């Protein structure tokens, strides 16, 4: 259950960052933040899978 709780906390943090960017009218940073989020998720998924040795050349 603690894994779900940590995931909820992290998703709330991400939502708070995007809310901050929207309120401060920093729309140009939203694509950068999305790219960083996607790359982080990709790295986490590759790290725990058997595809990790194939990602090193990239």
């Amino acid at each position: 259950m603690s894994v779900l709780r940590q995931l909820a906390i992290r998703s709330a943090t991400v939502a708070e960052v995007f809310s901050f960017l929207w309120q401060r009218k920093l729309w140009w940073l939203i694509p950068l933040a999305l790219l960083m989020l996607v790359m982080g998720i990709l790295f986490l998924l590759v790290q725990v899978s058997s595809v990790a040795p194939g990602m090193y050349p990239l």
Side-chain angles (χ1 to χ4, degrees):
M1 201 57 146
S2 65
V3 173
L4 292 176
R5 190 172 310 209
Q6 290 176 353
L7 184 62
I9 291 171
R10 288 183 184 149
S11 65
T13 303
V14 170
E16 188 173 339
V17 167
F18 283 111
S19 173
F20 172 78
L21 292 175
W22 190 261
Q23 288 175 357
R24 298 285 178 170
K25 298 190 184 344
L26 297 174
W27 298 302
W28 58 276
L29 280 177
I30 291 175
L32 179 66
L34 284 174
L35 179 66
M36 290 175 57
L37 182 66
V38 168
M39 291 300 287
I41 291 171
L42 177 68
F43 287 145
L44 285 175
L45 290 176
V46 168
Q47 187 177 15
V48 296
S49 71
S50 62
V51 182
M55 283 294 290
Y56 289 123
L58 298 178

